[in-house]
Amino acid sequence: MIGGERGLSEQHRRKNLESDHSSSSWTLETRSQPGDPGVLACFAMAAEARWCYRGDPQEEQCAPLVQFTNGKLKSSENMNFTLYRNKDTNNPKKKNKRMLNAETERLSYVGNNFSTGAMKSRTPCRYFVGVLDKNSGQMEVYNAELFNMQPLISDGVADDDLSEYLTKSYREKIDMCIEAFGTNKQRRALNSRRMNEVGKEVLNKAVTKAAEDIIETKGVAALVSDAAEGDKADVSLVLPPCHEDAGRPEDVYKLEDIIPPAEYEALQAPAAAFMNVTSEEILKMAEEKRYCSFVLDELKAMPLDEKKRDHKARCLSFLDCLVKLSSQRVVKKKLALGPDCPLIVSNQLVKNFTALSFGNGRLQNQVSASMKVKITAYAIALALHINNFQTDLTVLQRDLKMRDSRILDIAKAMRLKISKSKSLSGLDEHKLGTLSLPLPVYKMPSGGRKRKAN
């Protein structure tokens, strides 16, 4: 194909000069001057002419043909074209990259042959440009390359800043357009966003300086003491009320603080199923997985006294409701804890052991991580009352689906003494929690404790 819409003259001189911009990876390849025949038009051969293929008009450089995206070029007399090539000639992916800059009195234009917006041929053909000598009737044909010239909208961007402009992100270019052409609302939003942006380095310096001032004023010992008191306050929010000055173990964590009197009375109906349970019924409950392992183990050793049996049955019924609540993430139904759980007990558990959250367009009762810790603490306290203030923490840990180290931390925070014991089968080792007086001093677990890999 011979010809093209517009192009640079074969007479353009090659400068082989480096760009003035020190950080640029481009070399100045060709520059035209005003008055040069900078645009080549398509030639219609009215008479016979000979043509001769010359290849590249300059070494490793095709003749550039340009097209402007915002309209046709009326005159090329007052235009300056500058062609840049990549400096890295040893890299085969970069050595053929070219960037063309056009300067007019009103606008600057930029085009290249490597970006995603570069003009590419849609047909498998090559492009050529021909220069006709009318006197001899001979046309010399050269290789050509197409450039799609786009206007450069920027204030005060000179040739030396072209590479810097091209490396700007899409967000930065959009911000420049908003500054130049945006509405008042868009400009206000842009200014507000920029004012709210705080550099990480500035923020880190400010935080570091503030921390140094606090340490210098209060001292390290006072800060450690304040942190310890704060941690104890946080722990007390999820533990049952502890009466440290109690004279008996049963008064340290009082039963009425765990099961309120009204709920205790309402548990009479579901506890009736445990009053005269047989071994066959316990096996059937285990097969159907109606109750947790802790409850099933305790049903095998119910006291003979009817009053004590009724008390233990009510406590077991409440503990089973706690375990079922712990296994849920979001409480969606009124009877989520099972049909045997009285409504007053279910409402009390949902109120005290769930947190309100917003999801799916409505408020939900969610069993958060802190609420699961609270459920575990109350289950341990209730298990202590059931088992004469020594309970198997390993069985509870498995029912509550909690890490062994986690339940031990909760038990230590409740001032229990931890010991080890073999299970009934003798195959594995269980952890026991014992509540005894005087209560041991509580120590906060260190944050950097190493845990054994499973």
Side-chain angles (χ1 to χ4, degrees):
M1 177 178 178
I2 298 176
E5 291 183 2
R6 303 175 184 90
L8 296 181
S9 169
E10 180 272 337
Q11 298 177 5
H12 291 176
R13 295 169 294 170
R14 178 171 179 170
K15 298 294 186 181
N16 290 326
L17 299 176
E18 298 296 324
S19 174
D20 294 336
H21 198 290
S22 58
S23 63
S24 174
S25 62
W26 298 91
T27 300
L28 185 62
E29 183 73 12
T30 307
R31 174 172 291 168
S32 68
Q33 300 296 335
D36 287 348
V39 177
L40 296 178
C42 295
F43 293 96
M45 303 298 295
E48 292 185 2
R50 300 183 307 277
W51 65 275
C52 179
Y53 175 66
R54 299 294 188 184
D56 293 338
Q58 299 175 3
E59 183 181 355
E60 297 183 356
Q61 176 57 53
C62 300
L65 295 176
V66 298
Q67 173 178 294
F68 294 88
T69 58
N70 59 337
K72 293 184 178 181
L73 186 65
K74 296 181 179 179
S75 175
S76 63
E77 293 182 358
N78 296 323
M79 293 195 67
N80 291 324
F81 288 86
T82 307
L83 184 65
Y84 296 86
R85 63 178 175 83
N86 198 291
K87 285 182 179 179
D88 193 356
T89 57
N90 295 326
N91 190 331
K93 293 183 178 180
K94 294 183 179 180
K95 69 178 183 178
N96 293 323
K97 289 184 177 182
R98 299 291 186 268
M99 185 166 58
L100 183 63
N101 171 234
E103 293 286 346
T104 66
E105 295 179 354
R106 299 178 57 189
L107 283 175
S108 297
Y109 297 87
V110 177
N112 58 62
N113 64 350
F114 56 86
S115 67
T116 55
M119 184 175 181
K120 296 181 179 179
S121 173
R122 295 185 180 181
T123 56
C125 63
R126 294 173 59 188
Y127 292 88
F128 302 90
V129 62
V131 180
L132 177 63
D133 188 341
K134 295 182 179 180
N135 297 328
S136 63
Q138 178 171 319
M139 176 180 286
E140 295 183 351
V141 179
Y142 299 92
N143 295 330
E145 188 173 19
L146 297 173
F147 286 87
N148 193 29
M149 306 299 291
Q150 297 182 355
L152 182 63
I153 308 298
S154 178
D155 293 334
V157 178
D159 291 342
D160 297 340
D161 299 328
L162 281 175
S163 59
E164 181 181 353
Y165 171 80
L166 293 175
T167 56
K168 287 183 181 294
S169 65
Y170 176 77
R171 177 74 264 175
E172 291 173 335
K173 292 179 180 178
I174 290 297
D175 290 346
M176 293 173 64
C177 290
I178 292 175
E179 287 180 337
F181 307 105
T183 63
N184 292 334
K185 183 177 180 180
Q186 290 174 326
R187 292 178 182 178
R188 286 196 301 269
L190 175 62
N191 292 333
S192 177
R193 176 164 57 84
R194 287 179 173 175
M195 290 176 64
N196 292 331
E197 288 178 353
V198 180
K200 290 184 179 180
E201 185 176 353
V202 177
L203 182 61
N204 290 337
K205 288 182 179 180
V207 171
T208 303
K209 188 177 185 304
E212 291 175 352
D213 293 341
I214 294 174
I215 292 173
E216 184 177 353
T217 303
K218 301 187 67 174
V220 177
L223 289 176
V224 173
S225 176
D226 291 346
E229 292 297 328
D231 290 338
K232 288 182 180 179
D234 293 339
V235 170
S236 65
L237 294 176
V238 295
L239 299 183
C242 179
H243 304 276
E244 299 182 4
D245 55 349
R248 301 181 304 169
E250 54 264 33
D251 293 332
V252 176
Y253 295 106
K254 294 183 178 181
L255 184 64
E256 53 265 28
D257 292 333
I258 303 170
I259 309 177
E263 283 75 9
Y264 185 84
E265 292 297 327
L267 289 169
Q268 182 179 4
F274 297 154
M275 291 293 292
N276 300 308
V277 67
T278 63
S279 300
E280 291 77 10
E281 290 175 339
I282 294 174
L283 290 175
K284 186 177 180 181
M285 291 176 182
E287 292 175 358
E288 296 175 353
K289 297 181 179 180
R290 290 171 55 188
Y291 301 101
C292 62
S293 299
F294 184 90
V295 171
L296 295 175
D297 291 343
E298 292 300 323
L299 287 177
K300 298 175 184 177
M302 295 292 285
L304 297 177
D305 182 76
E306 185 176 355
K307 187 176 181 180
K308 292 182 179 180
R309 180 185 288 262
D310 176 68
H311 173 73
K312 185 174 182 179
R314 297 190 191 200
C315 292
L316 289 175
S317 179
F318 191 83
L319 190 142
D320 187 70
C321 292
L322 284 174
V323 173
K324 289 178 179 177
L325 180 62
S326 175
S327 65
Q328 301 186 39
R329 188 175 183 85
V330 177
V331 181
K332 298 181 180 179
K333 302 177 182 178
K334 290 184 178 181
L335 300 178
L337 303 182
D340 298 333
C341 181
L343 186 59
I344 184 175
V345 175
S346 177
N347 291 339
Q348 187 262 347
L349 291 176
V350 171
K351 177 182 177 181
N352 294 334
F353 296 96
T354 62
L356 283 177
S357 64
F358 188 79
N360 298 326
R362 59 188 179 90
L363 289 174
Q364 296 177 335
N365 293 301
Q366 184 180 16
V367 182
S368 61
S370 60
M371 288 293 105
K372 189 165 184 177
V373 172
K374 186 176 181 180
I375 292 172
T376 304
Y378 275 73
I380 292 174
L382 185 56
L384 290 171
H385 281 273
I386 294 172
N387 283 327
N388 197 23
F389 303 99
Q390 184 180 67
T391 188
D392 193 330
L393 298 175
T394 302
V395 176
L396 281 176
Q397 170 248 322
R398 292 171 181 173
D399 285 338
L400 295 168
K401 295 179 175 58
M402 181 175 286
R403 295 196 310 268
D404 180 62
S405 58
R406 185 62 170 161
I407 197 171
L408 289 180
D409 287 341
I410 298 172
K412 291 176 182 177
M414 295 177 67
R415 318 284 285 276
L416 303 186
K417 293 179 180 179
I418 308 300
S419 59
K420 299 179 182 179
S421 175
K422 290 289 185 181
S423 63
L424 295 177
S425 62
L427 299 178
D428 54 348
E429 190 176 68
H430 284 212
K431 302 290 176 61
L432 302 180
T434 305
L435 180 63
S436 60
L437 299 176
L439 296 176
V441 178
Y442 171 64
K443 294 181 180 180
M444 289 293 297
S446 58
R449 183 177 63 184
K450 295 183 180 179
R451 305 186 187 276
K452 293 182 181 180
N454 294 332

